[in-house]
Amino acid sequence: MAVPPRPMDPKKDLAVYGYGTIAWKERMEEWKKKQNDKLQVVKHQGDKGGDEMDDPDLPKMDEGRQPLSRKLPISSSRINPYRMIILLRMVILGLFFHYRIRHPVNDAYGLWLTSIICEIWFAVSWIFDQFPKWFPIERETYLDRLSLRYEKEGKPSELAPVDIFVSTVDPMKEPPLITANTVLSILAVDYPVDKVACYVSDDGAAMLTFEALSETSEFARKWVPFCKKFNIEPRAPEWYFAQKVDYLRDKVEPTFVRERRAMKREYEEFKVRINGLVAMAQKVPEEGWTMQDGTPWPGNNVRDHPGMIQVFLGHNGVHDIEGNELPSLIYVSREKRPGFEHHKKAGAMNALVRVSAVISNAPFLLNVDCDHYINNSKALREAMCFMMDPQAGKKICYVQFPQRFDGIDRHDRYSNRNVVFFDINMKGLDGIQGPIYVGTGCVFRRQALYGYDAPKKTKPPGKTCNCLPKWCCCFCRSRKRNKKSKTKDKKKTTKARDTSTQIHALENIEEGIEGIDSEKSTLMPQIKFEKKFGQSPVFIASTLLEEGGVPPGATSASLLKEAIHVISCGYEDKTDWGKEVGWIYGSVTEDILTGFKMHCHGWRSVYCIPRRPAFKGSAPINLSDRLHQVLRWALGSVEIFLSRHCPIWYGYGCGLKPLERFSYINSVVYPLTSIPLIAYCTLPAVCLLTGKFIVPEISNYASIVFMGMFISIAATSILEMQWGGVGIDDWWRNEQFWVIGGVSSHFFALLQGLLKVLAGVNTNFTVTSKGGDDGEFSELYLFKWTSLLIPPLTLLIINIIGVIVGVSDAISNGYESWGPLFGRLFFALWVIVHLYPFLKGFMGKQDRVPTIIIVWSILLASIFSLLWVRINPFLSRDGIVLEVCGLDCD
């Protein structure tokens, strides 16, 4: 039987249900009478239970007015024990350091001091990493409510337009077929076609990319209607046809089977044409490429060419084979000239922001890499559940989706999936102020990218300040009253003058600004607009349109002309682009820096994990490429750490929350951990070679502290995996690669960052290969020559040598020496086990490892060992100490 409703709270219930108090009481009385009439029926059917809101006669909230999403906090039964263990671990950590510092090892003081310094740094790093996970949450979206609110039957869709950016550079390392699949998945997305525009940035000005997009636009006329007719997933044909599904065994309508076979043949022919273009592009003609009309390709010189824009779809009435409209597809290659700084990917993304603002000017932007296709056709709708929420959406600057990958081996030996970061760390950040980076698969609010502050909450009536005590509010009220009375006349005299000046300035921005009414247009005169956004009246006009859309009265020809202007190489000179507007320059990891600037403006971000992954992509499968990828990320963090935008000292007094700042600090200082990590991984070998140890003979109290430390570490990890939904395999691979990447990529990134900032030595990065044709996992164990492989291999060799020397020494010295050896062996095996994926790859394909790596690693290990024996600091300088052996030689 239904339960009577709780007493109504007018402040809450009236806002939710939308009924007056009297009307609500009357409806409740009617409901009670009907319940009494139904009592006999309920007795026969049994007690069904349920809530009063399940009854059709009860007044319900309008489905279209309900929230589009909700937070799902981690249950207290899982998160509270986790928090308690963290606090307990901090107490044990204090006891641990109290014992370690108070009990030095006198005969190995250097080793003891080194280990103490390393352990203190690890503890500080753990604190910065741990506390942002204090309030983890999950989120749930309601796509049906979104449709009810913004897609009413018989009316045009009111969903907000979205401009989608795809960036590519080198078609030889980023195969055009992969880019084409990404574009096809975008064009077939489940979203109103007139609300989607796809912009492909070709920063390499390659004619191969241009021709591949032309072929893709033709194939899209067949592929898009097929996807929408049968509602297939995913909508990237390469991965859709790769699914191992037996359609003949299941009961599938014959029409679908027939059309699927025909579409697969069409796609195979499309692949042949794309691969043919790739084959032709292998050999560049001496005179350069020429287009079909015989004119030279403008991008023959990659470093010196004009800006190029080509609209493939979305104009001249191009429709699919069923006569339906298709989303827009625009090719963009920004101008490049010698002597100009182009700022790599960040500069290309800013060029796309300006081009899209001039041509389509959608209020929201989606950024994807060329190898990340849309795996969930409703991904844009998932993001709009947050962005278009009438209450919480106005303060959201971006919605980040987790990165998921195809083509990774089952064991994920090099932690390519990065599950711990995406499923644990990001959930924790979402409970504070949102994820800290704006990587691929991120939906932006365009106004946030323009450097505007987030809308502030209006204070309730009677509230004069943020202070809690009433006497303080009274004081502030009286002070503000006096201040207002003094400035009232001044405001009256200056208001008319300022307004007329600003209106006069805005009239000078030509036809681009006509007919636009915006708050921002009354805040900045023309010269400030140009200083911030550059000298483009059409683009400046677009920045004032918070809901998007192009300025009224503009023609396609004039817009394209203006679009060419905003991608010129000198457009950003003496403007705020890359400083306060768009993607921020100064780091190769522009995603972290851009997200940091947005959060400093008071915006918050959202982390969305749909049941079906929104995006999927490819990851570097061999160790060398993976280390180079990590090197790039770490170098970007070092650049931010050494810049004025370092979160340690930048952005105070703004909208950045303390725990969010903790996370940003951790994201830029983690490469510094490489130095203590290398030292700590070297200590076991030193201890085994010298017979010394970093810990004195431990007492019962020390044993309890050490055991408590290990148990708390294990408990924290187990509880973290539990509420994060991460398996132990993924967690362990993450721990292993943290050591591998820390002693190699992070260390080199630190050195390169110091050289770049202090000495001005720039580092050029090559694009990671996005695909291969050698079969599944064929390059898993392939080691390509790179100096990044030397440090971990050296640490492996010296620790293995140390284990051999230690065991040999124990065998020769007798039974009593095995006890002290146990701690040293455990320490060395800890290093070897963490470097095991590296060792397994080395042993698995030994014939394919470059000889120079083996030579250098053995040479460095030998030099280190011999040098240590020669200058052993633990050997008495007065000579060898002779001790009585206890044997009677006579």
Side-chain angles (χ1 to χ4, degrees):
M1 185 171 65
V3 181
R6 58 174 171 78
M8 187 190 68
D9 183 355
K11 292 183 180 179
K12 297 179 180 179
D13 295 328
L14 290 181
V16 174
Y17 295 107
Y19 292 99
T21 306
I22 298 175
W24 179 264
K25 290 181 178 179
E26 291 176 354
R27 296 292 295 275
M28 289 300 99
E29 291 297 330
E30 293 178 7
W31 176 78
K32 289 178 181 179
K33 291 179 181 179
K34 290 183 179 181
Q35 290 301 315
N36 292 330
D37 295 339
K38 295 178 182 178
L39 187 59
Q40 298 299 326
V41 178
V42 173
K43 286 182 178 179
H44 290 291
Q45 294 179 351
D47 190 7
K48 297 181 181 179
D51 191 8
E52 72 276 7
M53 295 302 291
D54 297 331
D55 194 289
D57 297 318
L58 183 66
K60 295 183 180 180
M61 190 198 326
D62 182 9
E63 188 76 13
R65 297 173 57 193
Q66 291 182 353
L68 302 180
S69 64
R70 66 165 179 161
K71 294 180 182 179
L72 299 174
I74 306 298
S75 63
S76 57
S77 61
R78 289 190 293 170
I79 196 62
N80 286 340
Y82 175 70
R83 292 169 178 165
M84 292 174 61
I85 288 295
I86 290 177
L87 296 177
L88 181 62
R89 182 172 170 180
M90 293 194 68
V91 173
I92 296 174
L93 202 60
L95 297 174
F96 172 80
F97 281 117
H98 178 267
Y99 172 81
R100 292 281 281 121
I101 295 173
R102 294 288 299 273
H103 294 80
V105 182
N106 295 322
D107 60 341
Y109 192 82
L111 294 178
W112 169 83
L113 183 62
T114 302
S115 66
I116 287 292
I117 295 173
C118 294
E119 288 164 0
I120 291 175
W121 178 262
F122 294 152
V124 173
S125 178
W126 172 78
I127 291 174
F128 276 105
D129 180 66
Q130 201 66 51
F131 276 96
K133 306 173 189 175
W134 195 259
F135 303 103
I137 63 170
E138 295 176 343
R139 295 182 184 269
E140 187 177 60
T141 56
Y142 303 103
L143 302 182
D144 52 344
R145 297 177 185 175
L146 181 75
S147 297
L148 283 172
R149 179 172 293 186
Y150 296 109
E151 293 182 302
K152 297 181 174 63
E153 189 175 356
K155 295 182 180 180
S157 173
E158 297 178 6
L159 289 174
V162 182
D163 290 338
I164 304 176
F165 299 162
V166 181
S167 56
T168 182
V169 179
D170 187 351
M172 293 303 172
K173 294 184 178 180
E174 300 168 326
L177 187 62
I178 291 181
T179 305
N181 272 270
T182 300
V183 172
L184 289 169
S185 70
I186 293 170
L187 299 178
V189 71
D190 183 8
Y191 209 74
V193 292
D194 59 326
K195 307 282 187 177
V196 177
C198 178
Y199 294 82
V200 180
S201 170
D202 178 17
D203 220 31
M207 188 172 178
L208 173 57
T209 303
F210 182 87
E211 294 290 345
L213 275 184
S214 178
E215 290 286 349
T216 303
S217 64
E218 286 297 318
F219 179 70
R221 298 180 62 244
K222 305 171 185 176
W223 174 252
V224 173
F226 171 75
C227 294
K228 295 187 176 182
K229 180 178 180 180
F230 297 106
N231 197 26
I232 65 169
E233 297 281 3
R235 299 189 177 181
E238 183 69 23
W239 285 271
Y240 170 70
F241 291 120
Q243 294 180 122
K244 298 177 180 179
V245 179
D246 189 356
Y247 292 95
L248 298 179
R249 186 171 59 183
D250 301 328
K251 294 182 179 179
V252 181
E253 55 181 284
T255 306
F256 170 69
V257 176
R258 184 170 59 253
E259 292 196 27
R260 183 182 182 278
R261 286 175 176 172
M263 184 53 62
K264 189 172 184 179
R265 286 195 299 270
E266 292 283 353
Y267 178 64
E268 292 299 329
E269 293 174 3
F270 169 72
K271 287 175 65 175
V272 170
R273 293 193 297 271
I274 294 293
N275 291 331
L277 292 173
V278 175
M280 289 177 56
Q282 298 293 329
K283 187 177 181 181
V284 182
E286 294 182 0
E287 65 277 6
W289 298 107
T290 56
M291 295 186 288
Q292 292 181 355
D293 59 358
T295 58
W297 170 248
N300 279 327
N301 189 339
V302 178
R303 295 178 177 83
D304 187 3
H305 65 82
M308 295 178 282
I309 298 176
Q310 176 65 45
V311 181
F312 286 107
L313 295 175
H315 75 300
N316 297 332
V318 178
H319 296 82
D320 61 28
I321 58 175
E322 294 183 358
N324 299 316
E325 188 180 353
L326 288 169
S328 300
L329 176 61
I330 299 103
Y331 169 89
V332 179
S333 182
R334 57 179 173 148
E335 181 186 19
K336 288 189 176 181
R337 302 296 181 189
F340 287 88
E341 178 60 53
H342 301 293
H343 301 289
K344 300 178 182 178
K345 183 179 179 180
M349 298 305 296
N350 284 337
L352 284 181
V353 171
R354 296 192 294 271
V355 167
S356 63
V358 171
I359 296 177
S360 54
N361 194 34
F364 302 110
L365 312 172
L366 168 62
N367 168 43
V368 293
D369 290 342
C370 66
D371 61 325
H372 271 71
Y373 64 92
I374 296 180
N375 183 64
N376 183 348
S377 62
K378 299 185 184 297
L380 294 182
R381 294 177 180 270
E382 296 275 357
M384 292 303 111
C385 286
F386 302 102
M387 289 296 199
M388 297 187 70
D389 190 283
Q391 300 198 4
K394 294 295 184 182
K395 289 201 69 174
I396 297 175
C397 57
Y398 60 86
V399 177
Q400 179 67 58
F401 292 90
Q403 294 184 24
R404 308 300 187 198
F405 300 99
D406 289 315
I408 299 176
D409 65 302
R410 182 169 56 89
H411 301 289
D412 191 15
R413 185 162 293 118
Y414 306 129
S415 190
N416 280 292
R417 292 191 179 93
N418 213 357
V419 177
V420 172
F421 175 76
F422 287 116
D423 288 1
I424 294 180
N425 295 58
M426 295 288 267
K427 288 180 182 178
L429 292 172
D430 198 17
I432 306 171
Q433 200 174 347
I436 64 172
Y437 86 111
V438 289
T440 180
C442 184
V443 178
F444 298 89
R445 184 180 299 276
R446 188 183 285 271
Q447 293 292 312
L449 268 179
Y450 288 158
Y452 292 124
D453 291 333
K456 300 186 185 302
K457 293 181 180 179
T458 57
K459 295 178 182 178
K463 184 77 172 177
T464 59
C465 68
N466 294 325
C467 312
L468 290 178
K470 292 183 178 180
W471 61 266
C472 182
C473 291
C474 294
F475 172 76
C476 292
R477 189 183 300 115
S478 61
R479 185 174 60 185
K480 289 187 177 181
R481 189 182 298 115
N482 294 333
K483 186 177 180 181
K484 286 182 180 178
S485 63
K486 291 180 181 179
T487 59
K488 188 175 182 180
D489 296 333
K490 184 178 179 182
K491 285 186 177 180
K492 283 183 177 179
T493 56
T494 58
K495 184 176 181 181
R497 185 180 68 230
D498 292 344
T499 304
S500 62
T501 303
Q502 289 160 359
I503 292 176
H504 175 73
L506 289 172
E507 286 175 352
N508 294 334
I509 310 184
E510 301 178 359
E511 75 283 352
I513 201 114
E514 291 178 2
I516 295 176
D517 184 18
S518 172
E519 274 186 41
K520 299 181 182 68
S521 65
T522 63
L523 298 178
M524 281 197 296
Q526 174 189 357
I527 191 168
K528 288 188 177 180
F529 273 113
E530 293 181 350
K531 173 67 173 67
K532 185 171 186 176
F533 298 116
Q535 296 183 354
S536 170
V538 177
F539 177 74
I540 293 175
S542 71
T543 64
L544 303 178
L545 299 170
E546 294 188 12
E547 301 302 323
V550 296
T555 62
S556 299
S558 63
L559 292 179
L560 282 175
K561 181 179 178 181
E562 195 67 22
I564 290 291
H565 169 58
V566 298
I567 61 173
S568 59
C569 54
Y571 181 82
E572 295 182 354
D573 291 348
K574 298 180 181 179
T575 67
D576 286 344
W577 283 100
K579 302 170 187 174
E580 300 294 334
V581 180
W583 267 260
I584 307 302
Y585 302 150
S587 170
V588 294
T589 52
E590 67 285 333
D591 46 7
I592 294 179
L593 198 51
T594 303
F596 177 60
K597 292 285 285 188
M598 289 185 189
H599 285 137
C600 284
H601 281 283
W603 296 93
R604 76 150 293 130
S605 52
V606 166
Y607 191 54
C608 179
I609 310 179
R611 287 187 178 88
R612 179 180 178 86
F615 303 90
K616 279 191 174 183
S618 59
I621 194 171
N622 67 73
L623 182 59
S624 301
D625 286 345
R626 173 71 166 134
L627 289 176
H628 274 290
Q629 183 188 56
V630 176
L631 172 65
R632 178 183 177 276
W633 296 342
L635 178 59
S637 296
V638 174
E639 290 172 339
I640 298 174
F641 175 73
L642 298 174
S643 72
R644 73 181 186 93
H645 288 120
C646 179
I648 298 176
W649 50 73
Y650 182 86
Y652 286 93
C654 63
L656 193 65
K657 295 184 179 181
L659 287 181
E660 193 80 0
R661 183 179 297 278
F662 263 45
S663 183
Y664 273 112
I665 292 174
N666 184 54
S667 70
V668 300
V669 302
Y670 75 89
L672 301 179
T673 308
S674 60
I675 295 177
L677 185 60
I678 290 176
Y680 211 68
C681 290
T682 307
L683 287 177
V686 175
C687 292
L688 287 166
L689 291 172
T690 60
K692 308 296 181 181
F693 199 42
I694 58 176
V695 178
E697 187 175 348
I698 59 177
S699 61
N700 292 333
Y701 169 77
S703 301
I704 295 174
V705 172
F706 278 49
M707 289 182 63
M709 192 69 193
F710 287 122
I711 292 173
S712 66
I713 292 173
T716 305
S717 303
I718 292 172
L719 293 174
E720 209 170 67
M721 288 186 283
Q722 185 182 19
W723 65 254
V726 174
I728 189 170
D729 288 342
D730 292 318
W731 176 84
W732 176 236
R733 295 303 180 201
N734 181 78
E735 292 293 310
Q736 288 179 313
F737 198 80
W738 177 77
V739 176
I740 295 173
V743 300
S744 58
S745 299
H746 298 172
F747 178 68
F748 278 85
L750 185 60
L751 296 180
Q752 291 182 11
L754 291 173
L755 288 174
K756 183 176 181 179
V757 174
L758 301 179
V761 179
N762 286 322
T763 304
N764 293 321
F765 286 97
T766 57
V767 180
T768 305
S769 178
K770 299 297 193 299
D773 300 324
D774 299 330
E776 191 177 22
F777 314 139
S778 59
E779 294 189 351
L780 178 60
Y781 300 108
L782 176 61
F783 281 8
K784 301 176 183 177
W785 159 243
T786 170
S787 55
L788 299 177
L789 301 174
I790 295 178
L793 192 57
T794 302
L795 288 173
L796 262 176
I797 292 175
I798 63 173
N799 276 280
I800 292 173
I801 292 175
V803 170
I804 296 173
V805 171
V807 173
S808 302
D809 185 65
I811 293 174
S812 61
N813 289 336
Y815 176 77
E816 293 182 356
S817 60
W818 283 98
L821 179 65
F822 177 76
R824 304 187 194 105
L825 281 178
F826 178 81
F827 199 12
L829 291 175
W830 178 89
V831 176
I832 295 173
V833 168
H834 276 78
L835 294 175
Y836 174 71
F838 185 92
L839 178 63
K840 189 172 183 179
F842 177 76
M843 300 301 293
K845 291 287 184 181
Q846 190 173 359
D847 56 328
R848 302 180 71 178
V849 179
T851 307
I852 191 170
I853 297 180
I854 304 172
V855 172
W856 271 104
S857 300
I858 295 176
L859 183 62
L860 288 175
S862 303
I863 292 174
F864 177 82
S865 302
L866 294 173
L867 188 62
W868 184 267
V869 172
R870 180 67 182 87
I871 58 170
N872 189 350
F874 307 113
L875 188 65
S876 174
R877 297 304 178 195
D878 299 330
I880 300 175
V881 180
L882 300 178
E883 297 181 359
V884 179
C885 63
L887 298 177
D888 187 2
C889 297
D890 298 331

